Amino acid sequence: MESRAKKKRSNIIMVVLIVIIAACGVLAVGMLKGWLSGGSGGELVSTDIKGIANIERSSVAYTLKKDVALQSGDIIATANESEAAFALGSNQLVLGASAEMEMTDCGESTVCLKLSHGEMYGELPKAPDGFGITFGSSSLTAADAVLSVSAQKGSAEIDVFGGEVIVTTPNDGEIKVKEGNCLLISSGSNGKVTAEKKVLQATTLNDFQIEKLKGGIREICFSEEELDKVISAREAEKKEQAKALEKEAIAYAQGGNDGSASSAGGSTVKINTCTIQIQCKSILNNMDKLKEGKNRYVPSNGVILTTSKVEFKEGDTAYDVTRRACSATGIQIEASYAPVYGSYYVEGINHLYEFDCGKMSGWMYKVNGWAPNYGSSEYKLKNGDSIVWYYTCRGN
């Protein structure tokens, strides 16, 4: 009887220990993921995630979800074509695609963020005292402002669409940036940080900024009509780009509509079609490696030439079509002939060159999803081929 009672007590103790261990595990995970945080108005809380965003807390990374209250030391990173939105009471912040920020500790009554790279948009009608964003060696404080901050390697840009912010730089101290102005910050080779103030122009805004401004809740320096005009102009530009390619391709047909053209000797040349796209999306995930000043050539969505249909004649190569497409649409391209390989090597497109984003970076191409192991001027196109030029930062 006594041994049976001891055994029963041991079982009870074991069950209690298991329950305690499980409870501790749930508590630990809850604290890590913010389940136990009340998400009060005094905390920065995730409100909406588009695409993929990750949070690293206490050296553990996991997918960021809605209603997570950020803690000091949290690092948020968004993937390509992704966004993460946060709220602090009535204040709204959105971390753009391929960006990273960290929640830093700067006192109980303040909120401080460190933007490592990428872009952030904020509507701060009632920002708490001391609300600040650090980027590189500079920082800003804002209250009752609408702004965006873009931080890249060696440079940063602060655009103020409403209200006023105070930017602090190592060399110029405090600089007030008012509504309708932007501040461009750059670091020279000598380590000196320079700041230049300019007037904002609607035509210089990127798609991310325009989308957020159109959905905003307060008056800004640009009207809806101005923003809509920029959107319409960009849509028209895309259409013109497609038309330019079409006109260039029609030259082969010499006005014919039967899918053939007459050569100089009177014989018929069959006209085929292919598609071509040029993109540099990998740079969006490696902006910290990009050479200073090159960020101006990287579109906000990473697409330099949208997928476009092009006509070509028998014997044309992937390089022939690429060169012609770039010429027709005004995209800069530079290539050199390599006698050793008997083909052309594409060195740069849209002013983005080999080694501009790391030691393994440069241009590569694929046809129908396959990357040939020879130059584009050696690949003879077939009807229906799909060409994709992509800038790689890893060499593959």
Side-chain angles (χ1 to χ4, degrees), residues 248 322-331 333:
E248 187 74 14
T322 302
R323 190 98 197 182
R324 193 165 70 251
C326 287
S327 174
T329 53
I331 297 172
I333 182 171

Side-chain angles (χ1 to χ4, degrees), residues 45-232:
V45 180
S46 57
T47 57
D48 188 29
I49 311 298
K50 294 181 181 179
I52 300 174
N54 294 320
I55 178 172
E56 181 180 322
R57 178 175 293 173
S58 302
S59 300
V60 179
Y62 59 94
T63 301
L64 180 66
K65 303 294 184 182
K66 290 177 62 176
D67 301 320
V68 174
L70 298 191
Q71 302 174 6
S72 176
D74 285 351
I75 298 175
I76 311 297
T78 54
N80 186 24
E81 299 182 1
S82 302
E83 295 178 7
F86 304 87
L88 177 66
S90 59
N91 302 288
Q92 306 291 324
L93 287 169
V94 183
L95 187 64
S98 305
E100 180 180 293
M101 75 173 188
E102 179 181 355
M103 186 84 170
T104 58
D105 187 6
C106 55
E108 294 181 1
S109 62
T110 58
V111 174
C112 291
L113 302 169
K114 177 183 177 182
L115 183 62
S116 302
H117 60 84
E119 188 168 11
M120 177 188 294
Y121 172 85
E123 290 187 20
L124 311 169
K126 294 182 180 179
D129 292 340
F131 177 92
I133 302 173
T134 300
F135 40 93
S137 58
S138 302
S139 63
L140 68 81
T141 55
D144 190 22
V146 180
L147 74 156
S148 72
V149 183
S150 175
Q152 310 299 346
K153 184 179 180 181
S155 66
E157 180 174 338
I158 300 91
D159 297 338
V160 182
F161 310 108
E164 179 182 277
V165 304
I166 298 176
V167 181
T168 304
T169 67
N171 297 105
D172 297 306
E174 290 189 355
I175 303 172
K176 287 185 179 181
V177 187
K178 296 183 178 181
E179 178 178 314
N181 290 275
C182 68
L183 189 70
L184 306 176
I185 300 174
S186 59
S187 301
S189 56
N190 59 357
K192 184 178 180 180
V193 177
T194 59
E196 181 183 7
K197 196 183 295 186
K198 290 188 175 182
V199 176
L200 274 174
Q201 302 292 332
T203 53
T204 64
L205 303 181
N206 60 40
D207 294 343
F208 172 73
Q209 293 171 315
I210 292 177
E211 179 188 353
K212 302 311 170 191
L213 290 170
K214 283 185 63 64
I217 58 175
R218 64 159 285 175
E219 193 173 321
I220 59 170
C221 59
F222 298 116
S223 66
E224 285 282 328
E225 291 75 16
E226 287 179 287
L227 297 178
D228 287 337
K229 187 177 180 180
V230 174
I231 293 172
S232 298

